[in-house]
Amino acid sequence: MRASQKQWLAKFLVGTSALSLMGMAQAAVAQEAPAEGDATGGDDIVVTGIRASLAASADIKRDAQGVVDAISAEDIGKFPDTNLAESLQRITGVSIDRNNGEGSLVTVRGFGPEFNLVTVNGRQVPTAVIGDGGSAPSSRSFDFANLASEGIAGVEVYKSGRATIESGGIGSTINIRTPRPLDNPGMHGSLSAKGVYDSSRNDGNPITPEVSGIFSTTFADDTIGIMVAGSYQRRKSSTNAANVGWRDGYLGSENNWGSLAQPGTPGSENITNRPGPTDVYQVPQNASYDLNDIDRERINGQAVLQFRPSDALTATIDYIYSRNTVETRNSNVGVWFNHGATSSAWTDGPVAGPIFYSELFSPPDPGCDAPSPAPPDNCQVGKDLSYSGALQENRAENKSLGFNLEWEAPGGVKIELDAHHSTAEVKPVNRFGSSMSLGNAVFGVANQTINFENDLPIISYGMHPGIDPLDTSLITPTGNAFRNAYFRNRINQVQLRGKYDHDGGFLDSIDFGVSYVDSKVRSAFGTIQNDDTWGGAGPASDIPDDIFSLQTLPDKFPGLAQSGMIESFYTFDFERMADLIEQNYQSCSNPATGAAQPGTCLAVFNTDRRISEKTIAPYLQVATEFELFQNPAHLVAGIRYETTDVSSSALVPVPVSSAWVGENELNVIFSGDSEFTRFKGSYDNWLPAVDFDISPMEDVKLRASYSHTITRADYANMQGGRTLDTLFRVGGGTGAVGNPGLIPYKSKNVDLSAEWYYGRDSYVSVGYFHKDVSNFISTTRVDYNSPGITTPIDGPRYQAAVAALGADATLGEIRQYIITTFPDTVTGNVINAAPGDPLVNFEITTPVNSDQTASINGWEFALQHSFWDTGFGVILNYTIVNGSATYDNTQPSTVPQFALVGLSDSANAVAYYDKNGLQARVAWNWRDEFLQGSGPNPTYIEAYWQIDASASYEFIPGITGFVEAINLTGEGRRGHLRHVNNVTFVQPGFARYAAGVRFSF
């Protein structure tokens, strides 16, 4: 967002706040009177719906120790938003990441999802995130998409540290509360059904169902309570995207692959405004238009049994279940660049972005049709236009069985014993794996271009004469990959908590207790890959024409499409294509890389990580209450000590050789056997927390907090085995080895807040926060030459090719010479290892705790205001976040940089009406551009805003009809690298609508 836009936004929020504040004095009085329809007789006031939720949230914030924000259910089974993450983003300082158009992961005060601990009813919960599909899952992040909002009573966001709550969140600790029947005696419940219409769907707009219900009752004089809840949701949607991959340009070597021709060398005349010698630039490596069709099915269930034989004793048994199955089918058309005969135009430096980038290609040899198993000698099939497809289908399943016993002992002592056994598991639910891709191509591209002058990169191409890219008889199968991932997290936790409430005097209460957490993680991954077929696996006649379907493109990018872009391409039936390539080429039963489980394409796990963490954490907290300058004040001081033992073992594949599979690509060949390696680590932390608040006048609170908080490293960094990346370039390979001895990130936090609660559901607040963070994780690199892994590059055959062809020979020409001249060392189009080849050098990265430190500070402004008894109200908040470590885009990728990711300003504006059975709400959410990832090259997500709306009307008591709209204006998203023209993805946005009916009692 431009500076002028930020100024406008700030003025808008301040102006709106000022208008709202004009009515505060009247509001503070008027809200004491019962609103129309609220009075139930006498002086009793019953407030329900939006205002009841806001009042409950304000009470939590006002009465909390430290800085806490909350969202409460409007009624049993009715949360403000259809998605928990979408609700959380309304809280000051909270932003969300969306996956498949839905809120999924949460960022708080600039700290991403891995830096926020999520608990349910005060218990640590396991995570189940499949990750990128191309590597073993490793995240600690909690995916809020797994939980339906209908079974949630409230969500609390603890922004300042506290000795009594679980550690693990530098950004925050987010506690999800589920309903308890004895908290709300009597019989209550609701049943709702709705249809969801998603305008994004590529193959039409089917209406999908969502049904939810909750029932709670107490009996035997309210000594026994039962609650059951369940929901079923089906959603079909699409997320279309333009994607571009990049590689660095000139890095001090004229032979750097992908660099622009140097001044005075052939090809330099085709470059307009060439980047200068010190400018940083990147060239496109590949680009595609991707159509993703998503089918999600989510099932949630809860059951609670409570028994209270006396006022002093309460026993609770609860069970929570969630299952989220997501299928994503991808179809794409794309191009790859060989960086040969290119032409381009560029913006000015010091960070130069491409305006356009083009490349010309030679025609295929006459009669060369890529017959199986390999083309004839010196047969050039030409440049390919890719028609590819992918399938991801995974199921996340969470189960939690818990027990809680509360005893109100004599003398103001309360003892609580809490225990739970919880698991989270995610795995594929088909016979192919978790993430698969199948490549097809039409050969004969004459030229291809990407134009970056518009928000959407415009990809275009031309074919050589006589070649029709829409002739299905020319579509040839190429490479394929079947990836199989598995993740399971099991947590057993026991907590013993005690509290002593002192009756009067300076001492208010003493909290004490201990927590024991035993967490075990298994993360496994395997790949079947056939890269030897990128030049064409066999004749196009192997694939029947009726497997393909013609798909148009411009209509899939409304508001973004431009003339000149690819108009149409062919999609295909994924399962049928997978069966055909297995039948014709044994792509799964006899792959070039990896191995499959018999009778399937499920890759055998060649990476299998097992991590165990056991943490014991005793704590003590003392709360005092006193008067300071004749004003009520509180001081709470606590200390939490944690000691953690880590054990990590990893099954890693054994490398034995390498193969030259493409012009610039080589593969590591593994034996099929694996071996375990084991490592151990341990650490401990003292985590103090001090909170002070004072009320200098009625309904006003001033707060100050100081605390230490931690976040543990992700599982990939802690895994205890060396892995080599399967694919590597001509210059050498890469790999990684984990470090279970990593100590957690640590933050020292200061929070200041001023709050005025001038009405039952109205307040205004301003807060300041500062965090000093240490123990960041960086990497060191060591050279590693694995015994037996050799490369043809610079070997005897390579040298013979250079001697015969000349020093100016391209890699493609050298590779073809070896294929022709040394056929006994070649399998198909793959050049195998041979005697005399040199060892491959691998750069192995190892994570370590660095001495880098960084600070984050910011301001939070919030206003929640009801306009007298009119039923109208607003919620406004604005967050400013600043960090000490920023990324310098002008430095080349060879210069290591440390930067804080996820930092951005954010804002919310909500207007609502709640009166006489009618509820309506319009919510605007905005997040400024932020750095998503650093490393050698930064990735940025551009500023994004979205408008949601909902309305409901109670036609007769207990029966309510409602409508909802998500992303009402269809806002899209965009990401880029160093320059805005280095776009990484562009996604158009689409609205989602729902309508339904709700019965409550």
Side-chain angles (χ1 to χ4, degrees), residues 952-970:
S952 66
Y953 182 70
E954 190 173 20
F955 294 96
I956 59 176
I959 299 180
T960 301
F962 59 88
V963 293
E964 301 166 347
I966 307 297
N967 196 11
L968 188 61
T969 58

Side-chain angles (χ1 to χ4, degrees), residues 14 45 141 155 259 284 336 490 504 596 648 688 747 905:
V14 172
I45 299 174
S141 305
V155 181
S259 289
W336 282 77
R490 187 272 292 155
S648 175
S747 178
D905 296 351

Side-chain angles (χ1 to χ4, degrees), residues 272-519:
T272 301
N273 195 30
R274 190 197 191 288
T278 60
D279 289 346
V280 175
Y281 69 93
Q282 293 163 301
V283 296
Q285 174 60 70
N286 58 280
S288 63
Y289 292 127
D290 290 70
L291 308 183
N292 300 290
D293 296 326
I294 301 150
D295 189 349
R296 174 181 63 74
E297 181 186 62
R298 183 169 65 191
I299 299 173
N300 278 194
Q302 293 182 45
V304 181
L305 173 63
Q306 286 189 293
F307 178 49
R308 184 175 291 160
S310 69
D311 291 342
L313 188 65
T314 303
T316 303
I317 298 176
D318 61 273
Y319 181 76
I320 301 175
Y321 175 82
S322 70
R323 191 180 81 180
N324 194 28
T325 306
V326 181
E327 175 194 273
T328 302
R329 293 181 180 270
N330 168 274
S331 300
N332 68 80
V333 55
V335 297
W336 282 77
F337 288 91
N338 292 344
H339 309 295
T342 64
S343 59
S344 57
W346 298 82
T347 66
D348 294 334
V351 179
I355 298 172
F356 76 86
Y357 191 86
S358 298
E359 188 170 11
L360 303 177
F361 304 97
S362 301
D365 292 344
C368 182
D369 192 27
S372 181
D377 293 347
N378 298 317
C379 179
Q380 299 296 323
V381 297
K383 178 64 175 62
D384 62 305
L385 173 68
S386 172
Y387 292 158
S388 297
L391 173 64
Q392 295 185 22
E393 189 175 7
N394 299 286
R395 174 173 293 163
E397 196 168 35
N398 293 45
K399 303 174 184 178
S400 179
L401 176 63
F403 171 77
N404 183 276
L405 185 65
E406 291 185 7
W407 178 41
E408 297 280 357
V413 176
K414 177 181 177 182
I415 302 295
E416 181 179 359
L417 176 65
D418 188 272
H420 73 103
H421 168 78
S422 303
T423 60
E425 182 181 58
V426 60
K427 60 183 179 181
V429 287
N430 62 38
R431 57 191 172 90
F432 301 109
S434 55
S435 175
M436 299 72 65
S437 59
L438 303 178
N440 295 280
V442 174
F443 293 89
V445 173
N447 59 78
Q448 59 192 31
T449 299
I450 311 179
N451 187 289
F452 299 98
E453 294 180 280
N454 304 287
D455 283 344
L456 182 75
I458 303 303
I459 308 170
S460 59
Y461 66 88
M463 306 297 290
H464 284 288
I467 300 175
D468 181 2
L470 299 182
D471 182 351
T472 55
S473 67
L474 299 179
I475 301 177
T476 301
T478 55
N480 53 77
F482 297 83
R483 294 169 285 269
N484 188 20
Y486 175 83
F487 186 87
R488 187 178 190 271
N489 183 196
R490 187 272 292 155
I491 292 180
N492 290 332
Q493 182 178 18
V494 179
Q495 299 179 82
L496 181 63
R497 295 186 284 254
K499 186 180 184 69
Y500 167 66
D501 283 316
H502 187 65
D503 188 13
F506 174 76
L507 178 63
D508 183 41
S509 65
I510 300 176
D511 289 271
F512 53 92
V514 63
S515 169
Y516 172 74
V517 180
D518 178 7
S519 175

Side-chain angles (χ1 to χ4, degrees), residues 45 65 150 171 236 240 449 495 498 589 831 848 920 954 999:
I45 299 174
Q65 165 199 333
E150 287 83 357
K236 293 188 176 183
N240 306 324
T449 299
Q495 299 179 82
S589 57
I831 300 173
V848 295
E954 190 173 20
F999 170 67

Side-chain angles (χ1 to χ4, degrees), residues 1 5-6 8-14 17 86 88-96 98 859-862 875-881 904-910 923-929 943-947:
M1 180 174 284
Q5 292 174 308
K6 292 184 182 180
W8 173 87
L9 174 63
K11 291 178 180 178
F12 168 76
L13 291 174
V14 172
S17 302
E86 299 286 346
L88 282 168
Q89 73 172 338
R90 317 288 181 214
I91 289 180
T92 312
V94 178
S95 303
I96 66 173
R98 290 176 171 84
W859 293 86
E860 295 179 336
F861 305 92
I875 306 170
L876 304 172
N877 60 62
Y878 186 82
T879 302
I880 300 171
V881 181
S904 66
D905 296 351
S906 59
N908 293 281
V910 180
W924 175 79
N925 172 260
W926 167 81
R927 185 179 184 183
D928 203 358
E929 180 174 286
Y944 174 85
W945 59 272
Q946 178 173 307
I947 295 177

Side-chain angles (χ1 to χ4, degrees), residues 226-241:
I226 296 175
M227 189 279 293
V228 292
S231 67
Y232 173 83
Q233 299 178 345
R234 183 80 179 271
R235 180 190 169 208
K236 293 188 176 183
S237 61
S238 298
T239 57
N240 306 324

Side-chain angles (χ1 to χ4, degrees), residues 102-123:
E102 292 185 278
S104 176
L105 305 175
V106 169
T107 294
V108 180
R109 291 176 165 179
F111 284 97
E114 66 276 15
F115 289 94
N116 296 288
L117 178 70
V118 178
T119 63
V120 175
N121 298 320
R123 302 163 176 166

